[in-house]
Amino acid sequence: MMESLKDIKGIDSSAIKSFEDLETVLNDIVTKAGADADEKIRAIGEAMAQAAGKSVSFSDHINDASDSVKDMNRQAEDIENLKRQLLDFFSIGNAIQLFKRAVSSAFDTVKELDKTMTEAAVVTEFSVGDMW
Protein backbone atom coordinates (compact mmCIF):
# COMPACT_ATOMS: atom_id res chain seq x y z
CA MET A 1 0.00 0.00 0.00
CA MET A 2 2.86 2.38 0.76
CA GLU A 3 4.20 1.86 -2.72
CA SER A 4 0.85 2.81 -4.24
CA LEU A 5 0.77 5.96 -2.15
CA LYS A 6 4.19 6.96 -3.51
CA ASP A 7 2.65 7.15 -7.00
CA ILE A 8 0.13 9.82 -5.91
CA LYS A 9 1.39 13.37 -6.31
CA GLY A 10 1.29 15.54 -3.24
CA ILE A 11 1.51 12.66 -0.73
CA ASP A 12 4.62 12.20 1.37
CA SER A 13 4.43 8.48 2.00
CA SER A 14 7.32 8.67 4.47
CA ALA A 15 5.12 10.75 6.79
CA ILE A 16 2.52 7.98 7.03
CA LYS A 17 3.36 5.70 9.97
CA SER A 18 -0.11 4.81 11.14
CA PHE A 19 -3.75 4.74 10.11
CA GLU A 20 -4.23 8.11 11.83
CA ASP A 21 -1.48 9.58 9.63
CA LEU A 22 -3.17 8.02 6.56
CA GLU A 23 -6.51 9.46 7.64
CA THR A 24 -4.94 12.90 8.08
CA VAL A 25 -3.33 12.74 4.62
CA LEU A 26 -6.60 11.60 3.02
CA ASN A 27 -8.54 14.36 4.80
CA ASP A 28 -6.00 16.89 3.51
CA ILE A 29 -6.46 15.51 -0.03
CA VAL A 30 -10.26 15.73 0.26
CA THR A 31 -10.06 19.24 1.72
CA LYS A 32 -7.70 20.40 -1.04
CA ALA A 33 -9.85 18.76 -3.74
CA GLY A 34 -12.95 20.42 -2.27
CA ALA A 35 -11.21 23.80 -2.24
CA ASP A 36 -10.07 23.29 -5.84
CA ALA A 37 -13.61 22.28 -6.83
CA ASP A 38 -15.03 25.36 -5.06
CA GLU A 39 -12.54 27.56 -6.88
CA LYS A 40 -13.44 26.01 -10.24
CA ILE A 41 -17.18 26.39 -9.52
CA ARG A 42 -16.62 30.03 -8.56
CA ALA A 43 -14.68 30.59 -11.82
CA ILE A 44 -17.48 28.95 -13.80
CA GLY A 45 -20.02 31.18 -12.03
CA GLU A 46 -17.99 34.29 -12.85
CA ALA A 47 -17.66 33.20 -16.50
CA MET A 48 -21.41 32.60 -16.66
CA ALA A 49 -22.08 36.04 -15.13
CA GLN A 50 -19.80 37.66 -17.73
CA ALA A 51 -21.47 35.69 -20.51
CA ALA A 52 -24.89 36.73 -19.22
CA GLY A 53 -23.80 40.37 -19.22
CA LYS A 54 -22.49 40.05 -22.75
CA SER A 55 -25.65 38.29 -23.90
CA VAL A 56 -27.70 41.20 -22.54
CA SER A 57 -25.43 43.59 -24.43
CA PHE A 58 -25.76 41.43 -27.56
CA SER A 59 -29.53 41.40 -27.12
CA ASP A 60 -29.51 45.20 -26.83
CA HIS A 61 -27.51 45.46 -30.06
CA ILE A 62 -29.90 43.10 -31.82
CA ASN A 63 -32.84 45.23 -30.64
CA ASP A 64 -31.07 48.38 -31.86
CA ALA A 65 -30.45 46.76 -35.24
CA SER A 66 -34.09 45.68 -35.42
CA ASP A 67 -35.21 49.25 -34.66
CA SER A 68 -32.87 50.57 -37.36
CA VAL A 69 -34.32 48.15 -39.91
CA LYS A 70 -37.85 49.22 -38.96
CA ASP A 71 -36.85 52.88 -39.38
CA MET A 72 -35.34 52.14 -42.79
CA ASN A 73 -38.53 50.34 -43.84
CA ARG A 74 -40.62 53.32 -42.73
CA GLN A 75 -38.37 55.69 -44.65
CA ALA A 76 -38.62 53.48 -47.74
CA GLU A 77 -42.43 53.58 -47.45
CA ASP A 78 -42.33 57.38 -47.08
CA ILE A 79 -40.17 57.66 -50.20
CA GLU A 80 -42.55 55.35 -52.09
CA ASN A 81 -45.51 57.51 -50.99
CA LEU A 82 -43.74 60.68 -52.15
CA LYS A 83 -42.97 59.00 -55.47
CA ARG A 84 -46.66 58.08 -55.92
CA GLN A 85 -47.74 61.61 -55.01
CA LEU A 86 -45.28 63.05 -57.52
CA LEU A 87 -46.53 60.72 -60.25
CA ASP A 88 -50.13 61.60 -59.36
CA PHE A 89 -49.27 65.31 -59.57
CA PHE A 90 -47.79 64.92 -63.04
CA SER A 91 -50.68 62.71 -64.14
CA ILE A 92 -53.14 65.41 -63.08
CA GLY A 93 -50.99 68.01 -64.85
CA ASN A 94 -51.01 65.91 -68.01
CA ALA A 95 -54.79 65.48 -67.78
CA ILE A 96 -55.21 69.26 -67.45
CA GLN A 97 -52.96 69.85 -70.48
CA LEU A 98 -54.95 67.33 -72.51
CA PHE A 99 -58.20 69.00 -71.45
CA LYS A 100 -56.81 72.42 -72.46
CA ARG A 101 -55.78 71.04 -75.85
CA ALA A 102 -59.21 69.46 -76.35
CA VAL A 103 -60.99 72.73 -75.48
CA SER A 104 -58.63 74.72 -77.70
CA SER A 105 -59.10 72.24 -80.55
CA ALA A 106 -62.89 72.34 -80.11
CA PHE A 107 -62.81 76.16 -80.10
CA ASP A 108 -60.68 76.19 -83.28
CA THR A 109 -63.03 73.67 -84.89
CA VAL A 110 -66.06 75.82 -84.03
CA LYS A 111 -64.32 78.92 -85.44
CA GLU A 112 -63.47 77.05 -88.64
CA LEU A 113 -67.01 75.71 -88.89
CA ASP A 114 -68.41 79.23 -88.41
CA LYS A 115 -66.09 80.55 -91.12
CA THR A 116 -67.16 77.75 -93.48
CA MET A 117 -70.85 78.41 -92.76
CA THR A 118 -70.37 82.12 -93.37
CA GLU A 119 -68.77 81.38 -96.74
CA ALA A 120 -71.56 78.92 -97.56
CA ALA A 121 -74.18 81.53 -96.54
CA VAL A 122 -72.60 84.07 -98.90
CA VAL A 123 -72.96 81.81 -101.92
CA THR A 124 -76.39 80.44 -100.96
CA GLU A 125 -79.60 82.12 -100.01
CA PHE A 126 -79.42 80.83 -96.40
CA SER A 127 -78.28 83.05 -93.54
CA VAL A 128 -75.61 82.01 -91.01
CA GLY A 129 -78.36 81.59 -88.38
CA ASP A 130 -80.22 79.25 -90.72
CA MET A 131 -77.05 77.28 -91.31
CA TRP A 132 -76.47 76.81 -87.57
Side-chain angles (χ1 to χ4, degrees):
M1 176 182 210
M2 288 296 216
E3 297 202 9
S4 299
L5 290 175
K6 288 180 186 178
D7 295 338
I8 300 174
K9 284 187 176 183
I11 294 181
D12 182 12
S13 60
S14 63
I16 300 173
K17 306 282 187 228
S18 66
F19 281 112
E20 287 92 24
D21 292 342
L22 179 61
E23 185 179 0
T24 302
V25 168
L26 290 176
N27 284 337
D28 287 346
I29 291 173
V30 169
T31 302
K32 185 178 180 202
D36 287 347
D38 285 346
E39 183 180 326
K40 300 293 183 199
I41 289 171
R42 236 186 324 276
I44 289 171
E46 289 174 6
M48 288 176 65
Q50 287 177 352
K54 290 181 180 180
S55 69
V56 168
S57 175
F58 180 74
S59 175
D60 290 343
H61 290 300
I62 292 293
N63 288 337
D64 290 345
S66 175
D67 291 343
S68 295
V69 168
K70 287 177 186 174
D71 287 342
M72 286 175 24
N73 285 337
R74 269 189 247 119
Q75 288 176 352
E77 288 174 6
D78 290 345
I79 289 171
E80 192 62 33
N81 286 337
L82 288 173
K83 181 179 162 186
R84 268 192 300 261
Q85 289 174 352
L86 188 62
L87 289 174
D88 289 346
F89 173 76
F90 284 115
S91 295
I92 290 171
N94 287 339
I96 290 171
Q97 288 299 323
L98 288 173
F99 181 72
K100 283 181 180 179
R101 283 188 207 145
V103 168
S104 177
S105 176
F107 185 71
D108 289 343
T109 302
V110 169
K111 281 180 21 179
E112 190 176 314
L113 182 61
D114 185 52
K115 180 180 173 188
T116 304
M117 287 186 175
T118 302
E119 289 173 359
V122 168
V123 293
T124 64
E125 50 189 69
F126 296 108
S127 70
V128 175
D130 292 337
M131 303 278 294
W132 277 103

Short mmCIF file of all heavy atoms in Angstrom, two decimals, residues 8 14 22-23 37 50-51 54 60-61 76 79-80 82 87-88 90 101 106-107 117 124:
data_model
loop_
_atom_site.label_atom_id
_atom_site.label_comp_id
_atom_site.label_asym_id
_atom_site.label_seq_id
_atom_site.Cartn_x
_atom_site.Cartn_y
_atom_site.Cartn_z
N ILE A 8 1.07 8.70 -5.95
CA ILE A 8 0.13 9.82 -5.91
C ILE A 8 0.90 11.09 -5.62
O ILE A 8 1.65 11.17 -4.65
CB ILE A 8 -0.96 9.60 -4.85
CG1 ILE A 8 -1.74 8.32 -5.16
CG2 ILE A 8 -1.90 10.80 -4.79
CD1 ILE A 8 -2.74 7.94 -4.10
N SER A 14 6.45 8.89 3.31
CA SER A 14 7.32 8.67 4.47
C SER A 14 6.71 9.23 5.74
O SER A 14 7.07 8.83 6.84
CB SER A 14 8.70 9.28 4.22
OG SER A 14 8.59 10.68 4.08
N LEU A 22 -2.52 8.23 7.86
CA LEU A 22 -3.17 8.02 6.56
C LEU A 22 -4.49 8.79 6.50
O LEU A 22 -4.80 9.43 5.50
CB LEU A 22 -3.40 6.52 6.33
CG LEU A 22 -4.09 6.17 5.02
CD1 LEU A 22 -3.27 6.62 3.82
CD2 LEU A 22 -4.35 4.67 4.96
N GLU A 23 -5.23 8.73 7.59
CA GLU A 23 -6.51 9.46 7.64
C GLU A 23 -6.28 10.96 7.51
O GLU A 23 -7.00 11.65 6.78
CB GLU A 23 -7.23 9.12 8.94
CG GLU A 23 -8.61 9.74 9.03
CD GLU A 23 -9.33 9.36 10.33
OE1 GLU A 23 -8.79 8.64 11.16
OE2 GLU A 23 -10.47 9.84 10.46
N ALA A 37 -12.29 22.36 -6.19
CA ALA A 37 -13.61 22.28 -6.83
C ALA A 37 -14.39 23.57 -6.59
O ALA A 37 -15.03 24.10 -7.51
CB ALA A 37 -14.39 21.08 -6.31
N GLN A 50 -20.32 36.82 -16.64
CA GLN A 50 -19.80 37.66 -17.73
C GLN A 50 -20.53 37.35 -19.03
O GLN A 50 -20.87 38.26 -19.79
CB GLN A 50 -18.30 37.42 -17.90
CG GLN A 50 -17.46 38.01 -16.80
CD GLN A 50 -15.98 37.68 -16.99
OE1 GLN A 50 -15.61 36.89 -17.84
NE2 GLN A 50 -15.15 38.30 -16.15
N ALA A 51 -20.77 36.07 -19.28
CA ALA A 51 -21.47 35.69 -20.51
C ALA A 51 -22.89 36.23 -20.49
O ALA A 51 -23.40 36.70 -21.51
CB ALA A 51 -21.49 34.17 -20.66
N LYS A 54 -22.75 39.85 -21.32
CA LYS A 54 -22.49 40.05 -22.75
C LYS A 54 -23.70 39.67 -23.58
O LYS A 54 -23.96 40.28 -24.61
CB LYS A 54 -21.26 39.26 -23.18
CG LYS A 54 -19.99 39.85 -22.61
CD LYS A 54 -18.77 39.11 -23.03
CE LYS A 54 -17.54 39.78 -22.40
NZ LYS A 54 -16.31 39.14 -22.75
N ASP A 60 -29.26 43.77 -26.62
CA ASP A 60 -29.51 45.20 -26.83
C ASP A 60 -29.11 45.62 -28.24
O ASP A 60 -29.82 46.37 -28.90
CB ASP A 60 -28.75 46.04 -25.80
CG ASP A 60 -29.32 45.90 -24.40
OD1 ASP A 60 -30.46 45.43 -24.26
OD2 ASP A 60 -28.61 46.27 -23.44
N HIS A 61 -27.96 45.12 -28.71
CA HIS A 61 -27.51 45.46 -30.06
C HIS A 61 -28.45 44.89 -31.11
O HIS A 61 -28.73 45.54 -32.12
CB HIS A 61 -26.08 44.97 -30.29
CG HIS A 61 -25.05 45.72 -29.51
ND1 HIS A 61 -24.85 47.08 -29.63
CD2 HIS A 61 -24.17 45.31 -28.57
CE1 HIS A 61 -23.89 47.47 -28.83
NE2 HIS A 61 -23.46 46.41 -28.16
N ALA A 76 -38.39 53.98 -46.39
CA ALA A 76 -38.62 53.48 -47.74
C ALA A 76 -40.09 53.64 -48.12
O ALA A 76 -40.41 54.03 -49.26
CB ALA A 76 -38.20 52.02 -47.84
N ILE A 79 -40.70 57.31 -48.88
CA ILE A 79 -40.17 57.66 -50.20
C ILE A 79 -41.11 57.15 -51.28
O ILE A 79 -41.39 57.84 -52.27
CB ILE A 79 -38.75 57.10 -50.37
CG1 ILE A 79 -37.79 57.89 -49.47
CG2 ILE A 79 -38.29 57.15 -51.81
CD1 ILE A 79 -36.40 57.31 -49.37
N GLU A 80 -41.61 55.93 -51.10
CA GLU A 80 -42.55 55.35 -52.09
C GLU A 80 -43.82 56.19 -52.16
O GLU A 80 -44.35 56.43 -53.24
CB GLU A 80 -42.87 53.90 -51.70
CG GLU A 80 -43.57 53.13 -52.78
CD GLU A 80 -42.77 52.98 -54.06
OE1 GLU A 80 -41.53 52.89 -54.01
OE2 GLU A 80 -43.40 52.98 -55.14
N LEU A 82 -44.09 59.43 -51.46
CA LEU A 82 -43.74 60.68 -52.15
C LEU A 82 -43.64 60.45 -53.67
O LEU A 82 -44.10 61.28 -54.45
CB LEU A 82 -42.41 61.22 -51.62
CG LEU A 82 -42.46 61.82 -50.22
CD1 LEU A 82 -41.05 62.16 -49.75
CD2 LEU A 82 -43.33 63.05 -50.18
N LEU A 87 -45.96 61.26 -59.01
CA LEU A 87 -46.53 60.72 -60.25
C LEU A 87 -47.99 61.16 -60.41
O LEU A 87 -48.43 61.48 -61.52
CB LEU A 87 -46.42 59.19 -60.26
CG LEU A 87 -45.01 58.64 -60.44
CD1 LEU A 87 -45.01 57.12 -60.29
CD2 LEU A 87 -44.43 59.04 -61.79
N ASP A 88 -48.73 61.14 -59.31
CA ASP A 88 -50.13 61.60 -59.36
C ASP A 88 -50.20 63.06 -59.79
O ASP A 88 -51.05 63.45 -60.58
CB ASP A 88 -50.82 61.42 -58.01
CG ASP A 88 -51.09 59.95 -57.68
OD1 ASP A 88 -50.99 59.11 -58.60
OD2 ASP A 88 -51.38 59.67 -56.50
N PHE A 90 -48.07 64.78 -61.62
CA PHE A 90 -47.79 64.92 -63.04
C PHE A 90 -48.91 64.32 -63.89
O PHE A 90 -49.21 64.82 -64.97
CB PHE A 90 -46.44 64.30 -63.41
CG PHE A 90 -45.28 65.18 -63.00
CD1 PHE A 90 -44.38 64.75 -62.04
CD2 PHE A 90 -45.11 66.42 -63.57
CE1 PHE A 90 -43.32 65.56 -61.67
CE2 PHE A 90 -44.06 67.25 -63.20
CZ PHE A 90 -43.16 66.82 -62.24
N ARG A 101 -55.94 71.27 -74.41
CA ARG A 101 -55.78 71.04 -75.85
C ARG A 101 -57.11 70.68 -76.49
O ARG A 101 -57.43 71.14 -77.59
CB ARG A 101 -54.78 69.92 -76.11
CG ARG A 101 -53.37 70.35 -75.93
CD ARG A 101 -52.40 69.26 -76.39
NE ARG A 101 -51.17 69.41 -75.66
CZ ARG A 101 -50.39 68.42 -75.25
NH1 ARG A 101 -50.73 67.19 -75.53
NH2 ARG A 101 -49.29 68.65 -74.61
N ALA A 106 -61.45 72.18 -79.87
CA ALA A 106 -62.89 72.34 -80.11
C ALA A 106 -63.21 73.78 -80.47
O ALA A 106 -64.03 74.05 -81.38
CB ALA A 106 -63.67 71.92 -78.85
N PHE A 107 -62.58 74.74 -79.80
CA PHE A 107 -62.81 76.16 -80.10
C PHE A 107 -62.36 76.48 -81.52
O PHE A 107 -63.08 77.15 -82.27
CB PHE A 107 -62.05 77.02 -79.07
CG PHE A 107 -62.30 78.48 -79.21
CD1 PHE A 107 -63.53 79.04 -78.86
CD2 PHE A 107 -61.31 79.33 -79.71
CE1 PHE A 107 -63.76 80.39 -79.00
CE2 PHE A 107 -61.54 80.68 -79.86
CZ PHE A 107 -62.76 81.22 -79.50
N MET A 117 -69.42 78.13 -92.63
CA MET A 117 -70.85 78.41 -92.76
C MET A 117 -71.08 79.81 -93.29
O MET A 117 -72.01 80.04 -94.08
CB MET A 117 -71.56 78.20 -91.42
CG MET A 117 -71.70 76.76 -91.02
SD MET A 117 -72.69 76.70 -89.54
CE MET A 117 -72.85 74.96 -89.35
N THR A 124 -75.03 81.00 -100.92
CA THR A 124 -76.39 80.44 -100.96
C THR A 124 -77.35 81.48 -100.43
O THR A 124 -76.96 82.55 -99.99
CB THR A 124 -76.48 79.17 -100.08
OG1 THR A 124 -76.24 79.49 -98.73
CG2 THR A 124 -75.52 78.11 -100.55
#
